């Protein structure tokens, strides 16, 4: 048996990048994976196709997490997708990966960007957990994707860093709240990963090399590097780990 056989996992923002890597890993471990996307349906369906070609099970569903009715839309679409798979509304794993970025430095901030980032990066994961508590099975797993920017100054995107700090605080509170049900809650904090999100920082070989040099391994992270950490945290092997901030930055800025 695979580690996650018989379990259902939800990965938000799973159409590409780190989210896609996590979805692929959890499917490879045997889970039925619900691939959430906000707007890029083609990319989400590509994630599903990659998983199915590898012998896994997955389906895609849409919900714009910036919208006021995001949570209602999310769970309605999720339940419809699960029903098509012959599954009930219950699930075992929630990975809060979806996030917006790019707020800029303090003098570049706008209230519109601030509101959107907090809606997607903070409000959505919190209320997805709240609404999902009666669907999340005892002994389940919640993993919140944080960032190294909560432990190192990152003035280039101050609002983004603030949202991830909120995610870390939420992780601690939920871990204590849900512990009696055997549910673990942890945060995984990547550094610079070679994804579309930070492509604007890798416009030249020199810029890419500078980012790679932040890690003691002198390379950028890959989605698989992060997905493997998440795969461990949602497994039975991590049953005694909760409320933790797991640095998955490749030793950046040591």
């Amino acid at each position: 048996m695979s580690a996650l056989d018989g379990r259902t996992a939800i990965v938000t923002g799973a159409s590409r990048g780190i989210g896609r890597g996590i979805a692929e890993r959890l499917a490879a471990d045997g889970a039925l994976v619900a691939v959430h996307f906000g707007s890029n349906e083609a990319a989400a369906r590509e994630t599903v196709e990659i998983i199915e070609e590898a012998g896994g099970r997955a389906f895609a569903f849409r919900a714009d997490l910036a919208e006021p009715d995001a949570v209602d839309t999310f769970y309605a679409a999720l339940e419809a997708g699960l029903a098509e798979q012959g599954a009930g509304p219950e699930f075992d794993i929630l990975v809060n990966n979806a996030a917006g970025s790019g707020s800029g430095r303090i003098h570049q901030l706008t209230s519109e960007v601030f509101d959107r980032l907090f809606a997607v990066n903070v409000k959505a994961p919190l209320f997805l957990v709240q609404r999902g508590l009666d669907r999340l099975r005892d002994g389940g797993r919640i993993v919140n994707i944080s960032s190294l920017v909560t432990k190192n100054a990152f003035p280039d995107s101050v609002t983004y860093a603030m949202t991830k700090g909120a995610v870390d605080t939420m992780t601690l509170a939920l871990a204590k709240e849900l512990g009696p049900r055997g549910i673990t809650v942890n945060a995984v904090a990547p550094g610079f990963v070679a994804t579309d999100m930070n492509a604007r920082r890798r416009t030249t070989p020199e810029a890419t090399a500078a980012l790679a040099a932040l890690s003691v391994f002198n390379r950028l992270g890959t989605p698989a590097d992060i997905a493997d950490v998440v795969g461990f945290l949602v497994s039975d092997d991590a049953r005694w780990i909760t409320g933790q901030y797991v640095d998955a930055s490749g030793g950046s800025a040591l």
Side-chain angles (χ1 to χ4, degrees):
M1 290 181 63
S2 297
L4 302 179
D5 278 349
R7 301 184 195 182
T8 297
I10 305 164
V11 183
T12 68
S15 63
R16 55 197 175 97
I18 291 173
R20 175 179 285 183
I22 293 170
E24 290 181 33
R25 167 61 195 261
L26 302 190
D29 285 348
L32 167 62
V33 180
V35 174
H36 162 264
F37 68 97
S39 59
N40 196 336
E41 181 175 0
R45 296 200 179 281
E46 185 177 340
T47 300
V48 172
E49 289 172 4
I50 291 169
I51 289 171
E52 291 178 340
E53 288 172 1
R57 300 174 62 209
F59 66 91
F61 72 104
R62 180 185 181 279
D64 184 346
L65 298 183
E67 294 296 324
D69 60 350
V71 175
D72 292 336
T73 302
F74 183 98
Y75 278 107
L78 172 65
E79 290 182 14
L82 288 170
E84 289 178 2
Q85 298 291 318
E90 298 82 12
F91 59 92
D92 305 275
I93 297 162
L94 172 61
V95 181
N96 283 310
N97 166 75
S101 65
S103 64
R105 303 176 77 90
I106 183 65
H107 59 279
Q108 298 170 314
L109 297 182
T110 67
S111 60
E112 292 79 12
V113 171
F114 180 95
D115 289 345
R116 179 175 177 82
L117 289 186
F118 268 87
V120 174
N121 298 9
V122 181
K123 181 180 178 181
L126 178 64
F127 284 94
L128 289 180
V129 171
Q130 182 197 57
R131 182 72 63 85
L133 285 179
D134 61 348
R135 299 168 174 86
L136 180 60
R137 294 185 178 96
D138 290 353
R141 302 284 187 264
I142 298 172
V143 177
N144 300 316
I145 302 303
S146 179
S147 172
L148 191 66
V149 301
T150 68
K151 305 298 182 184
N152 295 271
F154 194 62
D156 286 357
S157 193
V158 60
T159 303
Y160 173 79
M162 290 169 64
T163 66
K164 291 303 184 178
V167 166
D168 292 349
T169 301
M170 178 180 73
T171 297
L172 284 172
L174 292 178
K176 189 163 187 177
E177 180 79 17
L178 302 180
R181 291 181 55 192
I183 296 170
T184 68
V185 188
N186 292 288
V188 174
F192 282 105
V193 179
T195 65
D196 293 346
M197 179 177 281
N198 58 48
R200 63 188 176 84
R201 298 179 180 276
R202 296 182 282 113
T203 54
T204 67
E206 293 77 14
T208 300
L211 293 179
L214 294 174
S215 164
V216 298
F217 303 118
N218 196 34
R219 69 170 176 86
L220 292 175
T222 67
D225 291 328
I226 312 306
D228 288 346
V229 176
V230 175
F232 166 68
L233 288 174
V234 303
S235 74
D236 290 340
D237 290 342
R239 62 192 175 276
W240 203 235
I241 299 173
T242 195
Q244 299 305 301
Y245 171 97
V246 181
D247 183 319
S249 72
S252 292
L254 287 180

